[in-house]
C-alpha cells in the first residue's frame, strides 16, 4: 500500500508540475516530507538528510565553472565560428548543426543552455537555406543531448552520480557513462542520415549558406576561457581513464582516488575569477537552480520510495511479470513515455536508475545495458513539444506561423521517429550484442 502511495506521489508531482508550471522538485519535497514523516514514521531530520548533497554539490560546482563560458560569450562565439566554417556544404548542414551542438554541449554548458542559444541560430539557418525545420530541430536537440551526455559534461556527471548512489562503483559508473555517450551519439546520426538521404532533403535546400557572415574572432578572455575549460576536462578525464588502463598502478590509483569533479571545478572557478573571465554574481546567477531543485527534490522522494520498499517491489514485479530477455526493451519504452512529459535528468533517471542493480542481479542481466536502454529511451522522445527540450525549440521559432507548423511535426514525426530508432537500438543491443 505504501509503495503505491509513493508511486502515486511521483506521478502526481509530475502532473502538478506540468499543469501548474511549478518546479516538480518542490512538489516532490512536499510529498517526501508528508509520506516520510507521517506515513513511514521517519523524523524530519531523516527526511532532510535524504537531500542528495553530493549530487547537489557536484552539479553546482561544475555549473558554476562552466557558466563563465556562457556569460562572457565564449560558447556562443565558438558556435558561430564552427557553423561559419561549415557553410559551403549546405546539404550536410544538419550534420554540422549536430556536431557543433554536440561539441559545445560537451564543453559543459548543459542541455538547456545550449538549446537556448543554438536553437534560434538553427531555425534561422532553416529559413535561409530551405532546410526542413523539423530536421533542424532534431539536429540541434539531439546534438545538445549527446554533448551533455559526455562523461565530463552535465548529464554525464549526473548519470554517474545517480549510478554511484544506486550502488555502482565509481569505475564501473565511468565505463557505463562512456557507453551511454557513444550510444546516444550513434542513434541521432542514423536518424539524421535517413532524413538527409532518403526524404528529398537535398533537393529542398534552396540556397547556400555562403550568405552567413563571418563572426568576429574570440577575444582574449574568451580564448582563455576556452583553454581553461579544455584543461579542466582533460584533467577530469585523464585520471579515471588512466586508472582503467593501469588498474594495478598504485600511484595512478592514489591520484584517481583524490579526484572529484566538483572540487576540481571549484578550484577552476577561483582561477577564472582571479583571471577576471566573468562577473561572480552573474556566474552564480547562471547556475541552473531550477534543474538542481528538480533533481534533488525528486531524489528525496526516490529515497523515501527506497525506504518504503517501492524500488525493490518494482524490480521484483518487472522481474516476475516480464520475460527477462525483454526487460531492457520494456524499461526503455517506459523511460520514453515518461520523457514525453518529464525531464530525463530530473525525473526519469532518478526514478529508474535505482532499480537497475537489483533487477540486473535477479535476472542475470548486464546493468550497463539497462542503463543504456533507459537513457536511450528517455532521450528518444525528449524532442516532444510537451517536454522541456521541445518547448525550448518551439520558443525559439522566429514567428507564430513557424511555431504552429513545427508543433505537429515534432509531435507526430520527430518524436515517433526518435522512439522507433531507440526501440530498434535497444532491441539490437538486447538480442545481438
Amino acid at each position: 500500500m505504501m509503495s503505491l502511495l509513493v508511486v502515486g506521489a511521483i506521478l502526481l508531482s509530475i502532473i502538478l508540475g506540468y499543469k501548474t508550471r511549478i518546479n516538480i522538485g518542490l512538489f516532490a519535497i512536499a510529498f517526501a516530507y508528508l509520506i516520510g514523516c507521517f506515513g513511514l514514521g521517519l523524523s524530519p531530520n531523516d527526511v532532510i538528510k535524504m537531500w542528495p548533497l553530493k549530487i547537489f554539490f557536484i552539479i553546482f560546482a561544475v555549473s558554476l565553472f562552466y557558466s563563465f563560458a556562457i556569460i562572457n560569450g565564449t560558447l556562443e562565439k565558438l558556435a558561430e565560428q564552427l557553423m561559419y566554417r561549415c557553410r559551403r556544404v549546405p546539404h550536410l548542414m544538419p550534420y554540422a548543426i549536430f556536431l557543433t551542438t554536440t561539441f559545445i554541449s560537451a564543453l559543459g554548458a548543459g542541455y538547456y543552455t545550449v538549446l537556448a542559444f543554438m536553437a534560434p541560430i538553427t531555425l534561422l539557418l532553416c529559413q535561409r537555406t530551405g532546410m526542413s525545420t523539423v530536421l533542424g530541430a532534431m539536429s540541434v536537440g539531439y546534438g545538445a543531448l549527446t554533448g551533455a551526455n559526455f562523461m565530463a559534461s552535465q548529464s554525464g556527471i549526473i548519470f554517474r552520480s545517480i549510478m554511484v548512489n544506486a550502488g555502482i562503483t565509481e569505475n564501473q559508473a565511468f565505463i557505463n557513462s562512456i557507453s551511454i555517450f557513444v550510444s546516444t551519439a550513434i542513434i541521432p546520426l542514423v536518424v539524421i542520415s535517413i532524413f538527409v538521404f532518403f526524404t528529398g532533403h537535398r533537393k529542398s535546400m534552396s540556397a547556400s549558406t555562403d550568405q552567413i557572415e563571418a563572426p568576429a574572432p574570440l577575444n582574449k578572455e574568451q580564448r582563455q576561457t576556452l583553454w581553461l575549460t579544455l584543461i579542466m576536462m582533460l584533467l577530469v578525464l585523464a585520471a579515471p581513464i588512466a586508472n582503467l588502463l593501469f588498474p594495478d598502478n598504485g600511484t595512478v590509483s592514489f591520484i584517481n582516488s583524490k579526484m572529484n569533479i566538483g572540487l576540481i571545478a571549484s578550484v577552476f572557478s577561483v582561477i577564472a575569477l582571479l583571471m577576471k573571465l566573468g562577473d561572480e554574481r552573474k556566474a552564480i546567477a547562471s547556475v541552473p537552480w531550477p534543474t538542481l531543485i528538480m533533481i534533488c527534490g525528486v531524489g528525496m522522494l526516490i529515497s523515501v520510495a527506497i525506504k518504503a520498499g517501492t524500488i525493490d517491489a518494482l524490480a521484483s514485479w518487472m522481474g516476475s511479470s516480464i520475460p527477462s530477455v525483454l526487460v531492457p526493451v520494456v524499461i526503455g519504452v517506459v523511460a520514453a513515455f515518461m520523457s514525453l512529459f518529464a525531464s530525463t535528468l530530473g525525473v526519469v533517471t532518478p526514478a529508474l536508475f535505482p532499480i537497475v542493480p537489483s533487477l540486473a542481479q535477479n535476472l542475470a542481466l548486464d546493468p550497463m545495458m539497462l542503463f543504456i536502454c533507459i537513457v536511450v529511451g528517455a532521450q528518444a522522445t525528449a524532442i516532444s513539444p510537451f517536454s522541456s527540450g521541445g518547448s525550448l525549440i518551439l520558443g525559439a521559432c522566429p514567428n507564430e506561423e513557424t511555431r504552429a507548423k513545427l508543433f505537429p511535426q515534432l509531435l507526430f514525426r520527430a518524436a515517433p521517429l526518435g522512439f522507433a530508432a531507440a526501440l530498434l537500438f535497444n532491441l539490437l543491443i538486447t538480442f545481438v550484442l
Side-chain angles (χ1 to χ4, degrees):
M1 179 64 184
M2 190 57 65
S3 293
L4 289 176
L5 182 62
V6 177
V7 171
I10 295 172
L11 294 175
L12 188 57
S13 296
I14 297 171
I15 294 169
L16 289 173
Y18 176 71
K19 290 290 186 181
T20 64
R21 299 297 178 185
I22 296 173
N23 194 304
I24 293 172
L26 296 175
F27 288 111
I29 292 170
F31 284 126
Y33 167 58
L34 294 174
I35 297 174
C37 287
F38 301 101
L40 298 176
L42 300 174
S43 70
N45 281 339
D46 290 335
V47 175
I48 292 172
K49 288 177 182 177
M50 290 178 176
W51 179 269
L53 186 60
K54 184 177 179 181
I55 293 177
F56 174 86
F57 174 73
I58 289 175
I59 300 173
F60 163 74
V62 172
S63 299
L64 179 63
F65 170 70
Y66 286 137
S67 66
F68 289 98
I70 298 169
I71 61 177
N72 66 20
T74 301
L75 293 182
E76 190 167 358
K77 187 71 67 66
L78 190 61
E80 292 172 355
Q81 288 280 356
L82 292 172
M83 298 291 283
Y84 175 73
R85 297 179 188 279
C86 301
R87 69 195 185 283
R88 298 193 184 280
V89 282
H91 62 281
L92 298 182
M93 187 55 68
Y95 293 103
I97 293 170
F98 172 76
L99 295 174
T100 299
T101 310
T102 297
F103 178 70
I104 299 298
S105 185
L107 287 177
Y111 174 60
Y112 301 112
T113 303
V114 173
L115 272 188
F117 67 80
M118 280 298 295
I121 296 173
T122 300
L123 294 176
L124 180 61
L125 283 174
C126 289
Q127 284 188 330
R128 290 183 177 181
T129 64
M131 181 170 63
S132 164
T133 52
V134 68
L135 177 55
M138 293 180 72
S139 300
V140 72
Y142 286 132
L145 284 169
T146 301
N149 291 344
F150 187 62
M151 295 76 72
S153 194
Q154 189 184 82
S155 300
I157 294 166
I158 293 170
F159 294 155
R160 285 161 56 191
S161 299
I162 299 175
M163 283 186 234
V164 170
N165 278 1
I168 305 297
T169 64
E170 292 275 1
N171 270 3
Q172 188 57 51
F174 184 74
I175 295 171
N176 292 346
S177 68
I178 295 174
S179 302
I180 289 172
F181 171 68
V182 173
S183 300
T184 53
I186 292 172
I187 297 172
L189 288 172
V190 173
V191 173
I192 291 170
S193 297
I194 292 172
F195 255 102
V196 170
F197 296 105
F198 299 101
T199 63
H201 161 76
R202 296 183 66 170
K203 294 180 181 179
S204 70
M205 298 291 284
S206 59
S208 169
T209 50
D210 283 340
Q211 57 191 299
I212 299 177
E213 295 181 3
L218 275 68
N219 60 34
K220 179 183 176 182
E221 289 76 16
Q222 291 167 344
R223 289 195 302 272
Q224 290 175 338
T225 302
L226 181 58
W227 278 112
L228 202 61
T229 302
L230 293 174
I231 291 169
M232 197 201 84
M233 289 180 64
L234 180 63
L235 185 62
V236 166
L237 295 175
I241 291 174
N243 193 51
L244 291 174
L245 296 175
F246 309 104
D248 299 324
N249 188 300
T251 303
V252 171
S253 298
F254 174 77
I255 293 173
N256 185 55
S257 68
K258 301 300 180 182
M259 288 291 162
N260 179 279
I261 189 169
L263 294 172
I264 293 171
S266 299
V267 172
F268 274 75
S269 293
V270 173
I271 295 172
L273 287 169
L274 292 173
M275 294 174 65
K276 301 188 183 303
L277 299 181
D279 181 82
E280 180 185 353
R281 291 184 179 180
K282 290 182 179 179
I284 293 175
S286 296
V287 172
W289 296 109
T291 303
L292 267 172
I293 293 170
M294 180 168 61
I295 291 170
C296 294
V298 173
M300 289 181 71
L301 190 52
I302 296 300
S303 294
V304 170
I306 293 172
K307 282 283 186 182
T310 307
I311 301 301
D312 290 336
L314 181 58
S316 176
W317 176 81
M318 291 191 73
S320 60
S321 304
I322 302 170
S324 59
V325 72
L326 291 178
V327 166
V329 178
V330 171
I331 203 169
V333 172
V334 170
F337 277 100
M338 289 177 68
S339 185
L340 277 171
F341 305 98
S343 163
T344 299
L345 294 179
V347 177
V348 182
T349 49
L352 296 182
F353 271 20
I355 73 172
V356 168
S358 58
L359 198 60
Q361 185 175 7
N362 293 338
L363 302 178
L365 295 171
D366 184 356
M368 181 193 295
M369 180 171 61
L370 294 176
F371 286 127
I372 291 173
C373 288
I374 290 171
V375 177
V376 165
Q379 296 191 344
T381 55
I383 200 167
S384 155
F386 299 116
S387 70
S388 48
S391 300
L392 270 174
I393 293 173
L394 284 175
C397 289
N399 52 60
E400 191 59 39
E401 182 182 352
T402 304
R403 188 175 296 109
K405 183 181 178 181
L406 185 58
F407 183 92
Q409 290 180 327
L410 292 180
L411 184 60
F412 299 115
R413 289 185 65 189
L417 182 59
F419 175 76
L423 183 61
L424 289 173
F425 182 87
N426 286 348
L427 285 169
L428 181 67
I429 65 172
T430 301
F431 292 104
V432 179
L433 302 181

